[in-house]
């Protein structure tokens, strides 16, 4: 089966969010194919993060629908979408600062494996989630920091832990909101390698918001361009770069 | 008919008192995200400051004496609130829960001091004859003091709305309630708006304390706490941060309470108000004026 | 380190169990000797409040839920138990069963509504419900609660071993057992997988949701567990006081709880227990200070504040919030970072 024929795992139809009369995201129809790496670009305020919030259910849509893994999840709560296999990270590191790095990952692993609601046993008694957590920390290169409270990690380490939590839940589709934001340039390749592992070894479909074009060109199967809350174009990176509408959106509309 | 009119106006009067406490609470919450437990103490301190002033400065004219107590109550509420904000809330801006806890402490201390100084027994309020007299409205004899309370709260509502829409600080407060981060990003000194909101809220609560004395005829240390709780309910029902919403909810709560306490049984009205709160939360989590949950 | 902590805990426990046989006076701390019923009663009340503070810490310190209505669930246990015994005459076992049922159902129903809100609106709504409970108790519906007078237990409703001043040591042991069991249950719960999710919710609720866990269900579970422990404390309180009184339904009582937990340090369990014990003890001793003849010599500006226990406790509370955010527990942890 060729790329284009694969059924979409995540699809939106006319998806929108209005606050008062102001459209924040407007009429976005997007079909994401199973296994693809889709990068979302667009100027600041284009609605990229809001789109992610609509997809993951943190913000209820005011129009349109979201279909995920063959189900209409437009009205589903964030945790229900996550259980179906939709994982995500946030623009700023979103971790459990007061808990140890290992415990962060263990909670994520247990969320995926089940048994989180147990109040009778000790959390450290369940071996499988713990092993999964250790493995995820190993993968992102945080194994040596497992005992440290997550809040005490460096900025780059927090971003890695963000990804480790995603790894632990083995998502089918993962939304990464600017995973490299604020990272030192020399740390970025390591993080990109982890993202690629999630994509290839984890067989996850990836949607990623990213500004660094140099990075994006090598990663993306397709790119989606957002502008003023609308979806301007979805195409291969080469054709997106050559697209005149996209160019004028960026150049004719100074940030 | 006269029962209905009487209950309606008594309820309006009660709603007016709730509003005087709720207005400050709602603005403080809206702008600063501080749940101010000390607000009941501002009310109580206002009430006792008024009583103390009018007994310490006996005047030939009951009107003059009562006016002095009014001014003293407003001033005491305002000064107490301003001090609370400047000395205790301000150092804790990085710790929102700490701010709430500190207001709890202020409330405990202030109430204990009032009880220690004045005792637990109610104190009689001496009112000018004109206020203890009644006016007949549609067959119901209404105590003038209650009409005055309603009038005063309406005046405060109008003044607050004018302040919010016509003055520079009012606009800052309103914008800050909508989006505090944006106002701060514009380089506007929100700090001063915080203090101002506390001062205004404290003055309104202090005024409420003195007026409650006129409404009930007595003051006692525990009324502030029950006022505070119903004012909390009013602010949640009205939509946190909305003055108009608070006013509507205050009237609704006060009138509902009076009618049910009279026609059903004492206490049923109080109970129904809490039930109303639960219903509003289930149906419309943002309150009357709000659209989205906070 | 861990072994030594256990050893100290075991020694303290053994001492507390043996206390009713130790007839030594501790001048300054207690007016009478340790085995005197008066002293045992004060200590037992301290344990009850330690348990109550513990249940509050479970909610506030571990899940981050700031409830202003926790008194309601303590009163729930106290009043249902007292009413079942004295008004319905159902006997002790049935009264306990009824209380357990109410202790489970009330927080389940009210928590389900309150938890639709977050943060401060949640606090306000819990406060409103507790106020409704307080009004209900004061109104004395069907003559059940005794209104402002409170509800005294009739002595014949209880086994002889639980009645009368000479049997105070039995009640003391019950209160101690309550505290130990509650601590064990709470400790187990916060160390369990669910307990760790509670802490994750406290840190970052949104992330918990996108990991696939429903924060609402976890919060409701913690709310109910915490309320049930509070209700158990309410039952023992009734036994100790010989009845229920409306003071335990007031918002002021919940605020006192908050003071206890912050006093002891949030999120440690044992800190809250200590806070509850110290608060209750101080409250008791400060009343004695208020009546001390030496105080009468001072002018009113000094005398009045010193004779109001709530003023002194409130002041201590403000100072702790401003300068010692971790409470006593935080002070200890700061000195010995390796402690559990």
């Amino acid at each position: 089966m060729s790329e284009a024929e694969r059924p979409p795992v995540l699809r939106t139809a006319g998806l929108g969010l209005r606050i008062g009369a102001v459209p924040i995201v407007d009429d976005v129809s997007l079909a994401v194919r199973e296994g693809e790496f889709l990068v979302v670009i667009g100027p600041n305020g284009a609605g990229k993060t809001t789109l992610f919030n609509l997809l993951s259910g943190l913000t209820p849509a005011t129009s349109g629908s979201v279909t995920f893994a063959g189900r209409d999840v437009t009205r589903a709560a964030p945790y229900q979408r996550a259980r179906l296999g939709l994982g995500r990270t946030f623009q700023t590191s979103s971790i459990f600062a007061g808990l140890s790095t290992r415990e962060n990952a263990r909670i994520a692993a247990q969320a995926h494996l089940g048994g989180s609601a147990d109040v009778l046993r000790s959390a450290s008694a369940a071996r499988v989630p713990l092993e999964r957590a250790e493995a995820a920390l190993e993968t992102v290169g945080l194994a040596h920091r497992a005992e440290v409270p997550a809040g005490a990690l460096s900025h780059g380490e927090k971003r890695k832990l963000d990804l480790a939590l995603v790894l632990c839940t083995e998502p089918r589709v993962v939304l990464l909101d600017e995973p490299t934001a604020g990272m030192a340039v020399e740390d970025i390749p390591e993080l990109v390698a982890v993202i690629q592992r999630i994509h290839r070894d984890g067989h996850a479909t990836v949607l990623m918001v990213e500004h660094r074009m140099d990075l994006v060109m090598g990663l993306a199967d397709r790119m989606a361009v957002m502008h003023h809350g609308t979806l301007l174009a979805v195409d291969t990176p080469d054709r997106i770069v050559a697209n005149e509408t996209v160019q004028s959106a960026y150049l004719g509309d100074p940030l | 008919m006269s029962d209905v009119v009487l209950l309606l106006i008594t309820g309006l009067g009660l709603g007016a008192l709730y509003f005087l406490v709720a207005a400050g609470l709602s603005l403080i919450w809206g702008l600063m995200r501080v749940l101010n437990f000390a607000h009941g103490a501002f009310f109580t301190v206002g009430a006792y400051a008024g009583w103390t002033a009018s007994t310490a400065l006996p005047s030939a004219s009951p009107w003059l004496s009562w006016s002095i107590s009014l001014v003293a109550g407003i001033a005491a509420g305002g000064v107490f609130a301003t001090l609370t904000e400047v000395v205790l809330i301000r150092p804790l801006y990085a710790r929102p829960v700490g701010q709430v806890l500190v207001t709890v402490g202020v409330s405990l201390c202030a109430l204990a001091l009032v009880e220690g100084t004045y005792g637990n027994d109610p104190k009689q309020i001496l009112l000018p004859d004109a206020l203890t007299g009644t006016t007949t409205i549609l067959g119901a004899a209404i105590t003038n003091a209650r009409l005055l309370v309603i009038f005063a709260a309406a005046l405060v509502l109008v003044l607050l709305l004018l302040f919010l829409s016509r003055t520079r600080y009012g606009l800052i407060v309103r914008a800050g309630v909508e989006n505090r981060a944006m106002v701060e990003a514009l380089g506007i000194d929100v700090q001063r708006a915080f203090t101002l909101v506390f001062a205004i809220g404290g003055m309104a609560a202090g005024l409420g304390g003195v007026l409650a004395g006129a409404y009930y005829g007595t003051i006692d240390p525990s009324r502030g706490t029950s006022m505070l709780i119903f004012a909390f309910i009013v602010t949640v029902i009205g939509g946190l941060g909305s003055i108009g919403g608070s006013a509507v909810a205050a009237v609704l709560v006060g009138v509902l309470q009076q009618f049910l306490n009279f026609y059903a049984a004492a206490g049923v009205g109080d109970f129904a108000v809490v039930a109303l709160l639960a219903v509003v939360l289930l149906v419309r989590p943002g309150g009357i004026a709000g659209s989205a949950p906070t | 380190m861990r072994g030594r902590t256990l050893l100290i805990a075991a020694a303290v426990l053994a001492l507390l169990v043996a206390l009713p046989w130790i007839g030594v006076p501790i001048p300054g701390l207690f007016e009478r000797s340790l085995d005197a019923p008066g002293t045992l009663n004060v200590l037992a009340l301290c344990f009850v409040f330690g348990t109550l503070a513990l249940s509050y810490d479970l909610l506030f310190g571990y899940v981050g839920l700031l409830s202003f209505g926790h008194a309601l669930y303590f009163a729930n246990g106290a009043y249902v138990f007292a009413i079942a015994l004295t008004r319905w005459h159902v006997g002790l076992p049935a009264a306990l069963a009824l209380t357990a049922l109410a202790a489970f159902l009330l927080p389940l129903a009210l928590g389900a509504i309150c938890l639709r809100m977050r943060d401060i609106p949640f606090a306000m709504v819990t406060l409103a419900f507790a106020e409704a409970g307080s009004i209900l108790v004061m109104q004395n519906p069907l003559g059940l609660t005794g209104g402002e007078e409170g509800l005294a237990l009739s002595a014949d409703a209880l086994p002889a071993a639980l009645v009368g001043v000479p049997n105070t040591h039995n009640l003391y042991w019950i209160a101690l057992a309550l505290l130990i069991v509650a601590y064990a249950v709470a400790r187990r719960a916060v160390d369990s997988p669910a307990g760790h999710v509670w802490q994750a919710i406290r840190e970052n609720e949104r992330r918990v949701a996108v990991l696939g866990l429903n924060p609402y269900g976890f919060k409701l579970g913690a709310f109910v567990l915490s309320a049930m422990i509070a209700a158990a404390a309410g039952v023992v309180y009734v036994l100790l006081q010989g009845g229920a009184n409306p003071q335990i339904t007031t918002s002021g009582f919940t605020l006192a709880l908050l003071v206890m937990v912050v006093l002891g340090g949030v999120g440690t369990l044992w800190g809250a227990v200590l806070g509850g014990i110290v608060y209750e003890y101080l409250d008791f001793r400060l009343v004695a200070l208020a009546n001390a003849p030496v105080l009468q010599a001072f002018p009113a500006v000094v005398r009045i504040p010193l004779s109001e226990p709530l003023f002194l406790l409130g002041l201590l509370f403000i100072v702790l919030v401003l300068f010692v955010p971790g409470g006593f527990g935080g002070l200890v942890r700061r000195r010995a970072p390796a402690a559990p």
Side-chain angles (χ1 to χ4, degrees):
Chain A
M1 208 158 38
S2 81
E3 279 271 319
E5 285 164 351
R6 276 192 238 166
V9 60
L10 180 66
R11 188 212 295 268
T12 70
L15 190 65
L17 174 74
R18 269 170 191 278
I19 295 179
V22 187
I24 310 297
V25 165
D26 194 16
D27 194 25
V28 169
S29 297
L30 175 70
V32 184
R33 299 167 198 143
E34 182 100 61
E36 85 169 316
F37 200 121
L38 180 78
V39 170
V40 184
I41 62 167
N44 282 327
K48 304 181 298 287
T49 296
T50 308
L51 177 65
F52 273 20
N53 286 344
L54 293 173
L55 292 176
S56 58
L58 289 174
T59 310
T62 50
S63 60
S65 67
V66 182
T67 314
F68 176 58
R71 293 192 213 197
D72 183 351
V73 295
T74 314
R75 303 259 163 270
Y79 80 93
Q80 291 168 319
R81 301 185 199 204
R83 269 190 208 162
L84 290 172
L86 185 69
R88 76 164 287 178
T89 64
F90 295 88
Q91 210 167 1
T92 51
S93 294
S94 182
I95 51 173
F96 310 119
L99 305 176
S100 76
T101 302
R102 175 184 293 119
E103 193 46 35
N104 268 261
R106 204 202 58 75
I107 286 170
Q110 185 128 41
H112 177 58
L113 293 166
S116 288
D118 192 339
V119 273
L120 299 176
R121 262 172 304 179
S122 169
S124 51
R127 299 305 310 168
V128 186
L130 204 57
E131 282 159 14
R132 168 78 58 89
E134 302 277 3
L137 292 181
E138 188 73 43
T139 306
V140 301
L142 279 179
H144 64 293
R145 301 284 273 164
E147 301 294 338
V148 178
L153 294 175
S154 72
H155 180 75
E157 287 173 329
K158 283 180 186 162
R159 304 252 59 163
K160 289 179 188 172
L161 180 57
D162 254 331
L163 288 179
L165 299 195
V166 168
L167 263 176
C168 286
T169 58
E170 299 185 312
R172 195 166 162 193
V173 172
V174 56
L175 316 175
L176 303 175
D177 196 350
E178 293 195 48
T180 64
M183 281 191 84
V185 181
E186 61 269 23
D187 291 339
I188 290 179
E190 209 182 340
L191 200 76
V192 170
V194 174
I195 294 172
Q196 284 177 311
R197 278 190 70 157
I198 295 176
H199 179 226
R200 288 206 203 106
D201 304 350
H203 308 290
T205 307
V206 177
L207 267 78
M208 181 166 105
V209 171
E210 185 54 69
H211 284 300
R212 294 169 213 262
M213 289 305 282
D214 51 331
L215 213 95
V216 169
M217 297 304 283
L219 284 173
D221 296 321
R222 288 197 302 163
M223 289 170 74
V225 186
M226 287 196 73
H227 190 57
H228 291 319
T230 62
L231 197 58
L232 214 58
V234 187
D235 216 327
T236 59
D238 302 340
R239 274 186 257 163
I240 286 290
V241 174
N243 187 316
E244 278 179 18
T245 331
V246 173
Q247 281 177 356
S248 70
Y250 265 94
L251 300 175
D253 207 303
L255 302 183
Chain B
M1 182 61 197
S2 65
D3 273 354
V4 173
V5 174
L6 182 65
L7 287 171
L8 196 66
I9 292 180
T10 318
L12 268 176
L14 192 59
L17 294 176
Y18 290 156
F19 172 74
L20 288 174
V21 180
L25 270 182
S26 190
L27 276 184
I28 288 171
W29 162 266
L31 186 65
M32 305 161 70
R33 292 293 184 263
V34 171
L35 173 62
N36 182 25
F37 256 90
H39 224 76
F42 301 164
F43 174 96
T44 306
V45 165
Y48 277 90
W51 183 83
T52 310
S54 69
T55 40
L57 307 165
S59 142
S61 149
W63 271 112
L64 183 62
S65 170
W66 194 69
S67 305
I68 289 171
S69 79
L70 209 55
V71 172
I74 295 172
V79 170
F80 186 20
T82 308
L83 282 178
T84 303
E85 199 277 336
V86 172
V87 178
L88 296 172
I89 312 266
R90 198 176 288 179
L92 292 172
Y93 274 124
R95 291 167 46 208
V97 173
Q99 291 180 325
V100 179
L101 297 182
V102 124
T103 65
V104 168
V106 169
S107 153
L108 286 176
C109 286
L111 274 183
L113 277 189
V114 167
E115 281 183 17
T117 313
Y118 296 95
N120 276 322
D121 297 327
K123 298 250 182 254
Q124 290 288 331
I125 298 292
L126 288 175
L127 292 172
D129 290 341
L131 286 183
T132 50
T134 58
T135 303
T136 306
I137 299 173
L138 297 170
I142 314 282
T143 315
N144 290 339
R146 303 200 165 176
L147 295 174
L148 179 78
V149 170
I150 297 169
F151 174 73
L155 188 68
V156 169
L157 171 63
V158 171
L159 287 177
L160 273 177
L161 290 177
L162 282 177
F163 162 74
L164 287 175
S165 59
R166 295 290 162 81
T167 66
R168 180 180 146 73
Y169 271 108
L171 291 174
I172 294 176
V173 169
R174 230 172 42 171
V177 169
E178 286 293 320
N179 189 342
R180 176 169 147 194
M182 180 63 98
V183 176
E184 281 171 340
L186 291 173
I188 294 167
D189 181 12
V190 191
Q191 183 72 69
R192 220 176 286 172
F194 289 171
T195 313
L196 194 65
V197 161
F198 252 84
I200 291 173
M203 286 180 346
L207 170 68
V210 178
L211 289 178
Y215 180 92
Y216 291 103
T218 59
I219 56 173
D220 68 67
S222 66
R223 183 163 294 130
T225 309
S226 93
M227 277 289 157
L228 178 72
I229 289 169
F230 282 104
F232 277 149
I233 295 175
V234 162
T235 53
V236 176
I237 290 180
L240 289 156
S242 159
I243 289 291
S246 287
V248 174
V251 169
L252 199 67
V253 166
V255 171
L256 179 76
Q257 214 175 350
Q258 285 299 315
F259 269 88
L260 287 178
N261 277 344
F262 182 81
Y263 283 112
V268 174
D270 304 17
F271 220 75
V273 167
V274 178
L276 176 69
L277 172 74
V279 170
V280 168
L281 285 181
L282 289 174
V283 179
R284 206 181 163 87
I288 295 175
S291 51
T294 33
Chain C
M1 186 68 209
R2 183 148 178 83
R4 218 182 69 192
T5 312
L6 274 176
L7 209 66
I8 294 172
V12 170
L13 216 60
L15 182 71
L16 287 176
V17 171
L19 212 62
W21 294 299
I22 306 175
V24 242
I26 306 184
L29 213 52
F30 292 102
E31 282 164 20
R32 285 173 235 286
S33 75
L34 280 179
D35 63 346
T39 309
L40 289 179
N41 198 294
V42 170
L43 283 172
L45 269 180
C46 285
F47 296 157
V48 167
F49 285 102
T51 309
L52 187 56
L54 168 97
S55 74
Y56 193 76
D57 190 31
L58 192 65
L59 209 54
F60 179 46
Y62 284 85
V63 202
L65 290 172
L66 181 57
S67 161
F68 279 114
H70 204 59
L72 177 63
Y73 305 101
F74 179 72
N76 181 31
Y79 270 96
V80 172
F81 181 65
I83 288 169
L85 273 185
T86 23
R87 300 277 196 243
W88 297 335
H89 309 287
V90 295
L92 187 60
L96 286 174
L98 270 176
T99 310
L101 193 67
F104 173 71
L105 291 179
L106 186 73
L108 186 68
L110 297 187
I113 297 175
C114 294
L115 288 168
R116 289 173 62 88
M117 311 296 276
R118 289 202 180 86
D119 306 325
I120 300 300
F122 167 80
M124 289 186 180
V125 178
T126 53
L127 178 72
F129 279 128
E131 183 65 10
S134 185
I135 293 166
L136 188 69
V137 166
M138 287 290 197
Q139 294 301 326
N140 194 15
L142 308 171
L144 282 177
T145 62
E148 276 179 55
E149 303 292 309
L151 175 53
L153 276 186
S154 53
D156 53 353
L158 288 170
L162 298 180
V163 184
V165 174
N167 284 322
T168 305
H169 57 272
N170 287 337
L171 294 173
Y172 167 87
W173 280 319
I174 288 178
L176 182 60
L178 166 82
L179 177 58
I180 293 167
V181 172
Y183 184 85
V185 167
R187 174 54 63 197
R188 167 84 328 180
V190 300
D191 287 340
S192 73
H196 285 209
V197 176
W198 293 341
Q199 293 164 63
I201 289 172
R202 177 192 68 197
E203 300 289 328
N204 191 339
E205 183 171 343
R206 196 176 59 163
R207 187 71 199 241
V208 170
V210 301
L211 286 175
L213 298 170
N214 184 3
Y216 180 83
F218 282 93
K219 288 194 283 188
L220 188 56
F223 193 84
V224 171
L225 177 64
S226 153
M228 288 183 78
I229 295 176
V235 169
V236 178
Y237 176 82
V238 165
L239 290 175
L240 276 171
Q241 298 289 76
N245 57 71
Q247 279 77 42
I248 59 170
T249 65
T250 59
S251 59
F253 190 71
T254 298
L255 297 191
L257 266 178
L258 193 60
V259 176
M260 291 177 202
V261 173
V262 172
L263 213 63
V266 173
T268 57
L269 293 185
W270 64 268
V273 171
L274 205 65
I277 292 174
V278 168
Y279 180 99
E280 188 52 25
Y281 174 78
L282 279 180
D283 195 26
F284 169 76
R285 291 300 290 181
L286 290 175
V287 173
L289 170 71
N291 299 325
V294 59
L295 206 57
Q296 306 310 321
F298 287 102
V301 213
V302 181
R303 192 187 68 235
I304 291 171
L306 283 182
S307 56
E308 288 293 326
L310 272 182
F311 174 79
L312 296 173
L313 286 167
L315 200 63
L316 176 65
F317 180 69
I318 292 176
V319 169
L320 280 176
V321 170
L322 282 177
F323 303 112
V324 196
F328 301 151
L331 279 181
V332 175
R333 264 182 302 173
R334 208 177 303 167
R335 278 219 314 232

